[in-house]
Amino acid sequence: MRRFVFVLAIGLLAGCAPLQNGTAMTTVIPAPVARVDGDGSFALAADTTIGGEPAVARYLAGALRTATGFALPVGDHGDIELAIGSAPAVGGYSLTVTPDAIRLEADDAAGLFAGVQTLLQLEHDGTVPSVAIEDYPRFEYRGAMLDVARHFFTVEQVERYIDDIAILKFNYLHLHLTDDQGWRLAIDSWPGLTGVGASTQVGGGGFAGPLYYSKDDYRAIVAYAASRYITVVPEIDMPGHTNAAIAAYPELGDAPATPYEGIDVGFSSLAIGSETTYRFVDDVVREVAALTPGPYIHLGGDESHSTTDTDFLAFIKRATEIASHNGKTIIGWHEMGRSTQLPPGTIGQYWSFTTPQEGAAEQTLSFVEQGGKVIMSPADVAYLDMKYDANSPLGLVWANGPTPLPEAYEWDPAAIIPGIGDIQLLGVEAPIWTETIATTDDLESMAFPRIAATAEIAWSPAGPRSFAEFAPRLAAFGKRLDAAGIRFYRAPEVTWLD
Ligand code: ACM
């Protein structure tokens, strides 16, 4: 039935033709599932009306007003109609543009919001080319991660990053809230976590104001994300990466700790044999879960190099049991898959390389064997804090050296671990760690344009993917980034437009 409607819609477009690369200014990233271009275009004018689903209509009106300067009144119905109806598939939308009208249809507001991002990329100089698009995501989970522990980012900075990723149809923001260098979320039952525990960041303080989120701050981030149809995934990393917590509460560790401003990993561990540790886990996860409308809580589990194997397994069993009583699905970095006693359905996040390092594939498969799915974040292609090349002023190189833009594009999440294909994958995530990244400019110039590559891998149908095909579309997308004021690295592999 949907297919038939789509064919009808295409039939209404005179002289339809398949997408040509020459229509560079109106290409869309992530590439839609199906697009057929028509003749003519819809011209926006001061009295063009926008109607339908009110929240998304207001967002669209705001964005188009900025782009065109037109008033674009919002009402119950409009020349641009955002209709709740049916979608071609879960999370998707259909978009039909003719010279007379624009109609976007999806089965919920999130689907309309995704379609609006497509529409905004199609708009150029106040016109939208005639087109029929049917589109839906390959993966349900399309994530970006921000490390606010190594360097702290304010509510306003996080909200800006939320806006940045929303244009690429990301629907999850994973916040890495705790690490050796700082604990960034107020926990009422353990107030010292954001006292001593939040007193430093990499390189020291260097920041006016508290280096953590109050609960109201955090609620504001969650609400802002929700207004962009993005769900926040909080991460409390345990049992390693806990120096800040132990500096605040020495009883949480086997040895005292002091606030840490460096970038080493693997030197801290919670005290595995102490009941205080499990009271801490219970309190923290309960309070974080209460702040979390989304389905997931991330408990870390990576790089616990100062925890013995026996202790690690004992800790993961108890901590995940405690956490699962809060009604959330747990996510862990792939090392958590060393445990065969995870709560059923626990999600594994893979951060080894596109060629798995020893043990990583088995540990990731362990989540699937225990009824869970996998989020792919291969560090050598998906970590946005790797240098672009040896001369990049920011970034690190531990993940198999720099990650040039083409490498960030030409990989497939279903081709990394035998036995983990689309069915076993929840999705894809692009993390950005902030050892070297301290400002919004730093963040945007490391994330963009590589995050556009990850977005397409997460949303668009599986390859074959060629950077040569992607590059001209990215050049056009660069104009969008300029218009949005997003600072991006003009990677030399792309002929950027002036
Ligand atoms: C990680 O990069 N340690 C998840």
Side-chain angles (χ1 to χ4, degrees):
M1 179 59 189
R2 293 296 313 158
R3 213 34 62 188
F4 177 66
V5 172
F6 182 49
V7 168
L8 257 185
I10 292 168
L12 295 173
L13 295 167
C16 53
L19 172 62
Q20 304 292 321
N21 273 342
T23 56
M25 290 315 298
T26 64
T27 61
V28 175
I29 294 176
V33 172
R35 169 177 176 163
V36 179
D37 289 319
D39 279 345
S41 58
F42 179 93
L44 289 155
D47 61 353
T48 299
T49 53
I50 301 179
E53 203 290 322
V56 186
R58 280 194 300 274
Y59 174 94
L60 174 62
L64 286 175
R65 279 173 198 141
T66 304
T68 65
F70 293 139
L72 304 169
V74 174
D76 287 346
H77 295 285
D79 306 309
I80 303 175
E81 181 75 12
L82 310 184
I84 300 283
S86 58
V90 176
Y93 64 90
S94 50
L95 172 65
T96 311
V97 181
T98 69
D100 298 327
I102 295 179
R103 181 177 170 82
L104 187 55
E105 186 172 330
D107 62 11
D108 63 9
L112 289 174
F113 188 78
V116 156
Q117 299 308 330
T118 297
L119 178 52
L120 289 171
Q121 288 190 40
L122 291 168
E123 185 277 330
H124 184 61
D125 288 342
T127 66
V128 184
S130 293
V131 72
I133 288 176
E134 288 224 337
D135 198 15
Y136 49 86
R138 177 176 175 194
F139 295 115
E140 168 191 338
Y141 184 107
R142 304 175 303 282
M145 190 212 81
L146 176 59
D147 169 11
V148 295
R150 271 31 175 276
H151 276 101
F152 181 67
F153 290 81
T154 64
V155 171
E156 292 71 28
Q157 288 176 308
V158 174
E159 289 179 351
R160 182 180 165 112
Y161 199 56
I162 288 168
D163 279 332
D164 290 355
I165 64 174
I167 65 178
L168 287 164
K169 301 185 173 75
F170 284 97
N171 62 347
Y172 284 90
L173 175 69
H174 166 186
L175 288 176
H176 183 76
L177 290 165
T178 68
D179 214 301
D180 292 320
Q181 297 85 351
W183 184 288
R184 308 297 179 204
L185 176 62
I187 301 294
D188 297 335
S189 52
W190 296 74
L193 292 171
T194 47
V196 170
S199 59
T200 51
Q201 56 181 351
V202 169
F207 195 90
L211 294 167
Y212 68 91
Y213 308 119
S214 69
K215 285 194 168 175
D216 278 347
D217 289 341
Y218 190 76
R219 287 187 192 100
I221 291 172
V222 169
Y224 193 86
S227 76
R228 270 67 178 148
Y229 302 91
I230 289 173
T231 301
V232 174
V233 178
E235 179 185 353
I236 305 296
D237 200 350
M238 306 183 278
H241 293 279
T242 43
N243 181 81
I246 298 165
Y249 292 99
E251 63 269 35
L252 291 175
D254 289 324
T258 51
Y260 181 66
E261 301 174 359
I263 65 167
D264 286 345
V265 298
F267 61 88
S268 56
S269 178
L270 293 174
I272 306 303
S274 161
E275 285 307 304
T276 305
T277 293
Y278 302 99
R279 190 163 55 77
F280 166 81
V281 172
D282 193 11
D283 289 340
V284 168
V285 176
R286 185 181 62 253
E287 291 195 35
V288 173
L291 290 169
T292 302
Y296 303 116
I297 289 191
H298 200 308
L299 296 185
D302 58 320
E303 295 178 309
S304 299
H305 304 319
S306 297
T307 316
T308 65
D309 284 353
T310 307
D311 279 358
F312 182 80
L313 294 177
F315 176 82
I316 294 298
K317 179 171 187 316
R318 274 197 76 179
T320 55
E321 241 170 50
I322 291 168
S324 63
H325 293 144
N326 290 288
K328 301 295 178 186
T329 298
I330 294 162
I331 304 179
W333 297 109
H334 67 252
E335 294 101 309
M336 197 185 275
R338 286 157 62 191
S339 171
T340 55
Q341 297 178 296
L342 299 173
T346 298
I347 305 295
Q349 184 168 9
Y350 177 85
W351 66 276
S352 183
F353 300 160
T354 41
T355 300
Q357 295 167 298
E358 193 186 343
E362 294 75 11
Q363 288 161 14
T364 307
L365 280 162
S366 157
F367 290 89
V368 175
E369 285 154 11
Q370 296 178 72
K373 291 195 168 193
V374 171
I375 297 167
M376 274 291 168
S377 301
D380 55 334
V381 289
Y383 272 23
L384 301 171
D385 56 300
M386 290 299 119
K387 287 180 182 290
Y388 288 94
D389 61 42
N391 297 321
S392 298
L394 303 175
L396 303 174
V397 292
W398 59 262
N400 270 351
T403 302
L405 175 60
E407 280 183 24
Y409 185 69
E410 291 182 331
W411 64 281
D412 191 86
I416 293 174
I417 300 177
I420 298 185
D422 281 40
I423 303 285
Q424 290 79 21
L425 287 170
L426 184 66
V428 172
E429 183 177 292
I432 188 156
W433 303 94
T434 58
E435 285 93 338
T436 67
I437 293 162
T439 68
T440 288
D441 275 359
D442 294 350
L443 189 57
E444 290 181 347
S445 63
M446 291 304 281
F448 289 86
R450 287 182 294 197
I451 196 169
T454 328
E456 186 150 304
I457 289 164
W459 177 283
S460 304
R465 266 196 183 94
S466 114
F467 183 76
E469 183 278 328
F470 185 55
R473 291 191 288 120
L474 201 49
F477 188 69
K479 299 292 283 183
R480 298 274 148 201
L481 296 177
D482 280 337
I486 296 174
R487 189 166 160 223
F488 67 98
Y489 172 62
R490 282 167 161 73
E493 300 90 349
V494 173
T495 308
W496 299 101
L497 307 175
D498 293 329

